[in-house]
Amino acid sequence: MMLLQRQKFGNKPITTSILITQEKVSNLISDVAYLEHEAEALKYVIDSVPLTDEPLDGMSIIETLLFLDHSQQQYYRKIVDDCINSHRPINSRSYIAPSDSFEYSKSDEHDVQNVLHKIAKHRAAFITTIEDKPIVVWEKEVISNEGKITLFEFIQSMVKQERALLKKIADLILTFQNEKQFQREVAQRKGN
């Protein structure tokens, strides 16, 4: 176990103390597995909503799902693999950010069930990569916009970003389902 002390520099809050324990690592791996489980669960409700309708504030459901998988495969997985295999800190700024490398075309046909299957499959492979790593691996450094962080903290930030995207998807699904229910109620009232 290692206690990391960081100093505050200017307005950048890089002052943290973190004690990485096996229990925290196990909890983080469970959090990482959440995406796999969520992708499996979405398979049962996703076909009942419009996947390509774009809300006013962002991406459609299918676009968000494709972005999640792209981020996982083309950014996070690469950095984690390199960090695990390197003896030097990895600079995440030398990798292309997912938002800069993701391309989506509405004209592309996407089978949402296949996309969800890929997300779950890729996440299972990612979990295999990180599970059973000793604490010393989790303490390896990643240089990010926030300064030097541990691999543990880097993966925590990945989980936080993914959960925010999954919440947007869940909110969109709920909105579409509520709208559909409202339309049925209106139609029933007109029919009576």
Side-chain angles (χ1 to χ4, degrees), residues 34-35 37-39 41-43 45-46 48-51 53 55 57 59-65 68 112 116 161-179:
Y34 180 80
L35 179 62
H37 302 305
E38 189 67 15
L42 281 172
K43 288 180 180 182
V45 296
I46 201 83
S48 66
V49 297
L51 300 171
D53 287 4
D57 63 344
M59 301 185 285
S60 67
I61 291 173
I62 191 70
E63 188 176 0
T64 303
L65 290 170
L68 269 170
V112 70
L116 290 169
Q161 291 173 7
E162 288 174 348
R163 288 216 171 158
L165 288 174
L166 287 170
K167 183 180 181 333
K168 284 184 180 183
I169 291 171
D171 289 347
L172 280 173
I173 290 172
L174 185 60
T175 299
F176 288 131
Q177 288 176 336
N178 287 342
E179 187 176 302

Side-chain angles (χ1 to χ4, degrees), residues 32-43 65 68-69 72-73 77 112-128 166:
V32 170
Y34 180 80
L35 179 62
E36 178 184 4
H37 302 305
E38 189 67 15
E40 292 295 336
L42 281 172
K43 288 180 180 182
L65 290 170
L68 269 170
D69 192 47
Q72 177 178 225
Q73 289 299 100
R77 178 70 190 260
V112 70
Q113 295 295 329
N114 188 41
V115 171
L116 290 169
H117 174 74
K118 282 183 179 179
I119 290 170
K121 184 177 89 172
H122 292 153
R123 183 45 54 103
F126 185 77
I127 291 167
T128 300
L166 287 170

